[in-house]
Amino acid sequence: MKKACFTVCVCFLQLLDLALGFSSCEHLDCSQFPPSFLFGTTTSSFQVEGAYLEGNKSLSNWDVFSHIPGKIKDGSNADVADNHYYLFKEDIESMQSLGVNSYRFSISWSRVLPKGRFGPVNLEGIDFYNKIIDALVLKGIQPFVTLNHNDIPQELEDRYGSWLSEQIRLDFGHYAEVCFKAFGNRVKHWVTINEPNMMVEYGYFNGGYPPGRCSYPSGNCTDGDSAVEPYLAAHNVILSHATATHIYKTKFQKKQGGVIGIVLAGYWFEPFSDTPADRLAVQRTLAFKTAWYLDPIIYGNYPPEMTQIVGERLPIFTPEDKKKLRAKLDFIGLNQYTALYAKDCMFSLCAPGTANGDIHAHLTGERDGIPIGDPTAVETFYVVPSGMERMVMYYKERYNNTPMFITENGYAQKSGSMGEVINDTNRIKYLQAYLASLIRALRNGADVRGYFIWSLLDNFEWLYGYSVRFGLYYVDFDTLQRTPKLSAEWYKEFLSKVKALQKKSRKPKMWYQAF
Ligand code: NOJ
């Protein structure tokens, strides 16, 4: 049945190719991708693994949170998710069939250290990730590993309030060191933390994610202080990154020869109107969204756009912290999906609910009722391909062309019947347009070294549960059967064309071709 569907999909794709010109490299300047460029797919432990209490794993903060009635839109949880814990071999075979040369995934902290630094390393957890890494290496797929992708051991929340306490830096350093020791001989790309900017905003500003802390009017929580706690949590995130990176650079990097970076959610922003105030609102928003984390890591200080406004509520880096921060990073990971408008409300009244705290800007996807791009199944994810080029160029300019990876890019579909969902031509158009935008940035000299599609599989999409699908592979959540969507076929064809081009360009030239 699966095979038959695959054949039908392939034929359908070929027809579409002819009709719509999807045929990958004919419409994209694929020669911009050097042979060392990583092309991959990506997932995260909590969203795909399932087996939430197996193999001695402890409860994570997201296990606990997603079981609270009313928190997840469709009332679901990730107890089973894609059952990747048991089906990872099949999933790696799918990756091989796509032809990717890298797979970005995350390690579940509570699987490796169920009690953080207050208990032993869980060898079953180590064994599980060893199996994944070995299987990838065997297939020539480079593991690109994130240490923390939202889920942390609940133990650390209960003991000391996780990211609000300095103690998290010790725990994160310990966890990172355990992973470098266990896996660093095969893992050459490490990400410390995925999208801390989203985790902090949702966890401590509006309370949508665990630990669900905030204060009025930013959200409706029983505890928290939206004017103070996000800054504390972010400070501990930055110094946890610095602690892990310092450990990697001083104890492991020389021997293991890998690189380490951090991943930020990279929404692009356009001015709501062509006025100086709205253009400034864009600069402010970009600083508050991502430079908040990257400026301290790369330059040692919070961005001036923030210090002016937040003043004494911003924690201070001690001389000891600054020493650790010197470890910086080797690359910036950029998760780029979309763009929004920013409208200044510095001196006017910010409409309640739409203004973003100290940024003093309304962030909106619509202007005069017209969306900034085609809407998708995630409310704030509009299709705005130019945002990819602009965001990459912003990082290029602000951070002196530090190497970058597009660690996530992908299209959100509403869940529906398999028949509807696998004919995902909108996803193909989206990916093609975003890749074209990325190629423009490469041509403009941006040092981007890889591109990963979110996601390999439909999976547990945080507050949306299973109601939104990002996968190249459709997952039937009753049977857990995977079926390739049209986009999987498209990616496969695209990658084979890129490879063919790269091979051609590597062929030694004949003497007469030099003229
Ligand atoms: C970014 C996050 O890293 C990932 O966990 C999430 O599923 C995707 N964006 C889509 O929202």
Side-chain angles (χ1 to χ4, degrees), residues 382-400:
Y382 298 88
V383 181
V384 190
S386 58
M388 171 69 87
E389 180 188 1
R390 296 202 172 144
M391 195 65 208
V392 166
M393 296 311 281
Y394 172 77
Y395 279 164
K396 174 179 183 276
E397 300 311 324
R398 190 159 184 135
Y399 301 113
N400 202 17

Side-chain angles (χ1 to χ4, degrees), residues 241-255:
H241 163 90
T243 305
T245 307
H246 182 77
I247 292 173
Y248 188 64
K249 299 226 154 187
T250 51
K251 293 196 184 172
F252 296 93
Q253 192 168 44
K254 215 163 159 200
K255 207 165 63 209

Side-chain angles (χ1 to χ4, degrees), residues 21 25 40 43 94 115 148 152 156-157 176 185 189 225 243 251 273 301 304 322 324 332 371-372 390 406 435 500 515:
C25 283
T43 64
S94 300
K115 290 190 175 302
N148 174 241
I152 62 166
L156 308 185
E157 187 59 53
N185 56 343
H189 292 87
D225 184 345
T243 305
K251 293 196 184 172
S273 69
N301 289 307
K322 292 221 171 197
K324 285 229 170 89
I332 299 171
I372 189 169
R390 296 202 172 144
I406 306 303
L435 276 163
F515 295 98

Side-chain angles (χ1 to χ4, degrees), residues 44 47 149 194-195 335 337 381 408 454 461-462 470:
S44 87
Q47 294 175 272
H149 194 125
N194 177 75
E195 294 197 351
N335 290 353
Y337 290 84
F381 281 14
E408 287 181 31
W454 183 273
E461 177 55 27
W462 308 114
F470 276 93

Side-chain angles (χ1 to χ4, degrees), residues 178 210 214 236 246 262 366 369 404 444 448 456 461 481 492 498:
V178 166
C214 66
N236 287 319
H246 182 77
I262 192 167
E366 283 193 4
M404 283 171 260
N444 288 331
V448 180
L456 173 69
E461 177 55 27
Q481 189 176 346
K492 185 175 174 166
V498 172

